[in-house]
DNA sequence: ATGGTAATGTTATACCATACCAAATTCATC
DNA sequence: GATGAATTTGGTATGGTATAACATTACCAT
């Protein structure tokens, strides 16, 4: 079992990526995390997080809704958005602002800066958690008299698989 | 008159900011730029850009639409969105992804990386064009095998006016 | 004037997100 | 186990963001 202090998913999944294992690890971590915080990792929340982790790609809310309805006939937009809000608050997923979409967090459980790498070819997403970037931004902002709290950083480009 | 190679607006407007002058300079530059590229800076485009530059804050599309209707009764969503697309393409405005809003570009006329500083208190926006940030992001992305083309960078925090 | 291109008008609709209240579930306590 | 408070989920309606598709008008070179 993965350490509770190490990221579960970093970078783009290579050809050796066993997604079954990846998924289970992520879900197990989510469950443990919620428990430890006294939050409930309910059936609905688990279902939605599973759907998000079906691929290493951002998923749109209504796409999620459609897929969720296969398991849960009455699901409506609020069902999805409420669950997404919960998962965002618990740091289990990230919102991709430039796509209006949501993607699993590969390193839940600790606060960390987030920089997303989004492939414009296949839409795969990898996640950096680079303090140097965060520090530099804070510093540059500070020189303008701006007190930086957080940042949305989404890099668009081409992932290793697509460029080869 | 400002040099054609120097940014017109940098940082947050201080108490000495003469917005009338700022606005006129921006509009004159936009006009000159469009001319030099063989594009038409039409009445509609000028009206929309003026509305955007009413303040150093992001404006929402439907807010813009409402205000535009004062001058142009028949305006509809496509009127606004088409004009926004034009202004974006010409680099005269930026889209703020984290707010679904649009803000004037203080340094149109040359390609430059953009990092926006958004005050969560008063919504004022300043614009960095920092190559060091852009380079660092490209470098960090490159270490993941990712070829970075561009980036959305939006820093949330508190501006000098609001923190004092 | 004329014809081609670019810009704008107009209607409809798709997509993204939340407000609001009701019903059901969970959980601590008795 | 029953009870009641709090959380979660169901369900309806609506607000907010953005674009498709086609008609019409304005501009400009010839």
């Amino acid at each position: 079992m993965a350490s509770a202090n190490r990221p579960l998913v970093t970078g783009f999944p290579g050809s050796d990526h066993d997604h079954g294992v990846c998924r289970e690890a992520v879900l197990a971590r989510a469950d443990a995390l919620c428990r430890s915080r006294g939050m409930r990792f309910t059936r609905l929340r688990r279902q939605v997080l599973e759907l998000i982790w079906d691929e290493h790609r951002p998923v749109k809310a209504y796409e999620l809704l459609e897929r969720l309805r296969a398991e849960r006939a009455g699901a409506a937009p609020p069902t999805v958005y409420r669950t997404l809000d919960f998962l965002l608050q618990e740091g289990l997923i990230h919102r991709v602002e430039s796509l209006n979409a949501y993607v699993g967090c590969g390193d839940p459980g600790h606060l960390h800066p987030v920089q997303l790498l989004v492939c414009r070819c296949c839409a795969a997403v990898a996640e950096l958690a680079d303090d140097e970037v965060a520090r530099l931004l804070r510093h540059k902002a500070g020189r303008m008299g701006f007190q930086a709290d957080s940042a949305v950083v989404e890099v668009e480009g081409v992932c290793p698989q697509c460029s080869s």
Side-chain angles (χ1 to χ4, degrees), chain A:
Chain A
M1 183 174 176
S3 151
N5 296 318
R6 196 115 21 101
L8 294 171
V9 184
T10 63
F12 295 96
S15 54
D16 60 338
H17 181 71
D18 183 336
H19 196 60
V21 170
C22 162
R23 248 171 74 112
E24 281 319 304
V26 161
L27 291 167
R29 172 80 70 89
D31 187 70
L33 220 52
C34 288
R35 266 174 215 289
S36 77
R37 291 171 179 166
M39 307 303 284
R40 298 187 217 159
F41 193 55
T42 63
R43 187 167 151 61
L44 173 61
R45 289 165 180 174
R46 185 185 174 91
Q47 284 176 324
V48 170
L49 190 57
E50 278 177 355
L51 289 173
I52 290 174
W53 275 108
D54 271 355
E55 302 176 62
H56 288 259
R57 280 168 180 66
V59 194
K60 307 214 136 209
Y62 275 68
E63 194 183 331
L64 218 42
L65 175 57
E66 193 184 356
R67 292 206 256 145
L68 183 61
R69 278 180 167 150
E71 314 171 44
R72 195 172 268 262
T79 314
V80 169
Y81 282 103
R82 272 192 302 241
T83 309
L84 288 172
D85 285 343
F86 172 84
L87 297 173
L88 284 168
Q89 277 204 321
E90 296 303 316
L92 297 169
I93 62 174
H94 299 296
R95 180 175 154 80
V96 187
E97 295 290 346
S98 55
L99 299 175
N100 291 341
Y102 305 84
V103 70
C105 172
D107 184 16
H110 13 97
L111 263 311
H112 59 85
V114 178
Q115 300 98 27
L116 299 178
L117 310 181
V118 184
C119 178
R120 63 173 159 68
C121 178
C122 72
V125 167
E127 185 180 349
L128 294 179
D130 195 287
D131 276 318
E132 201 180 335
V133 169
R135 268 200 308 274
L136 183 61
L137 275 176
R138 250 198 316 280
H139 175 247
K140 296 284 184 176
R143 295 206 318 201
M144 311 283 286
F146 188 84
Q147 184 193 313
D149 295 335
S150 63
V152 173
V153 179
E154 296 170 9
V155 183
E156 289 134 42
V158 182
C159 78
Q161 277 69 49
C162 286
S163 67
S164 65

